[in-house]
Amino acid sequence: MRLDASGPARLPPVAPGLRIGLYGGSFNPAHLGHRHVSLVALKRLRLDRVWWMVTPGNPLKDRGELAAIDRRVERASRIADHPRIAVTDFESRIGARYTRQTLGFLTRRHPNVRFVWIMGADSLATFHRWQGFSEIAGLMPMAIVDRPGFTLTAPAARAARALAPWRIPETEAASLPDRAPPAWVFLHGPRSTLSSTALRAKPGGPA
C-alpha cells in the first residue's frame, strides 16, 4: 500500500534541513517516560524537534484497552508540554497501518528533512516482528533509548543482530541525523520506569 504524499495530512510545522525525531506509539496513555525519551533524543542527537505520532493502534497489541485517539492526543499534548515537542495524529488521517508506510510517506513528502526514528529499547526487543523492519531501517536512521530491563537484552535481540553492521558508536550520536540509512545508535543513560501498561492497571486508570 502506497500512501498519497500530496494530500492533506495536518503535519506539524516543518522546513528543509530540520533535524526531526519521530517517536511513534499508541500513547495509551502518554506519560513522563515518553517525555524523558524525547528530551534525551533532543539533547543527544541535537534535534530541532521531536514529533509524537499517536497511532490509530498497534497491530501487535490488543486494541480492546485502546482509548479514543482524540483523548490520547489531548493527554499527550499535556504531558509533552515542551516547545520542541509536537503531538500529531496524522497517521490516522492518511490511513497508515504500519510504521514503514508512515516513514515512507514522510520521506517522500519531505525529502530534505533529516528525520530520525526513535524507539525505546523495549521496542527494539520485538522489532523483528514489525512488518518490514529492515525496510524501516533503510528509510531513516534510528535511535534506541535504553529502558529498564532491556539494557543487555535489546542489543542482543534478533533485529539488533541483523542490523549490527550499521550500529554507530554512542559517542557519535550527534552525527546520526546526517547519516544515510541504515544507521542506528543505542543511547544509554538515566532510564524511566514508567509504562503505559502499568498506568492502565492502576485503579481508576490514567487521569
Side-chain angles (χ1 to χ4, degrees):
M1 177 181 176
R2 184 180 176 88
L3 303 175
D4 180 8
S6 63
R10 295 190 185 181
L11 296 176
V14 62
L18 284 180
R19 300 156 67 96
I20 297 178
L22 304 175
Y23 189 21
S26 57
F27 293 93
N28 188 44
H31 52 73
L32 291 176
H34 294 127
R35 192 176 190 272
H36 169 75
V37 166
S38 302
L39 295 180
V40 168
L42 280 166
K43 180 179 180 180
R44 301 284 301 279
L45 306 176
R46 297 181 187 172
L47 300 174
D48 298 301
R49 302 282 189 276
V50 170
W51 293 0
W52 287 10
M53 302 191 306
V54 182
T55 67
N58 186 332
L60 296 177
K61 294 182 179 179
D62 180 8
R63 298 195 183 192
E65 297 183 330
L66 194 63
I69 194 166
D70 57 339
R71 286 178 53 200
R72 290 184 280 131
V73 168
E74 189 276 331
R75 179 183 169 98
S77 298
R78 284 191 286 114
I79 294 295
D81 190 28
H82 195 284
R84 292 164 61 194
I85 301 176
V87 179
T88 175
D89 64 349
F90 82 90
E91 282 186 291
S92 64
R93 301 179 186 280
I94 63 174
R97 288 193 62 211
Y98 300 103
T99 298
R100 63 175 183 81
Q101 295 172 324
T102 301
L103 304 194
F105 173 92
L106 289 172
T107 55
R108 290 193 301 273
R109 189 177 179 110
H110 296 292
N112 296 317
V113 172
R114 287 174 265 182
F115 289 114
V116 174
W117 177 247
I118 300 168
M119 287 196 298
D122 51 332
S123 294
L124 179 63
T126 58
F127 191 39
H128 63 278
R129 296 175 55 200
W130 295 26
Q131 188 180 89
F133 82 87
S134 58
E135 180 182 348
I136 293 170
L139 283 168
M140 60 184 63
M142 303 190 308
I144 315 301
V145 180
D146 199 7
R147 289 290 309 276
F150 292 91
T151 303
L152 299 177
T153 57
R158 179 175 168 184
R161 294 198 308 271
L163 298 172
W166 297 282
R167 181 178 177 180
I168 70 170
E170 192 170 359
T171 54
E172 299 176 18
S175 71
L176 186 70
D178 299 316
R179 292 176 180 261
W184 65 286
V185 67
F186 194 100
L187 299 177
H188 297 84
R191 296 165 294 178
S192 171
T193 59
L194 292 172
S195 77
S196 296
T197 301
L199 287 175
R200 289 197 303 273
K202 285 186 175 181

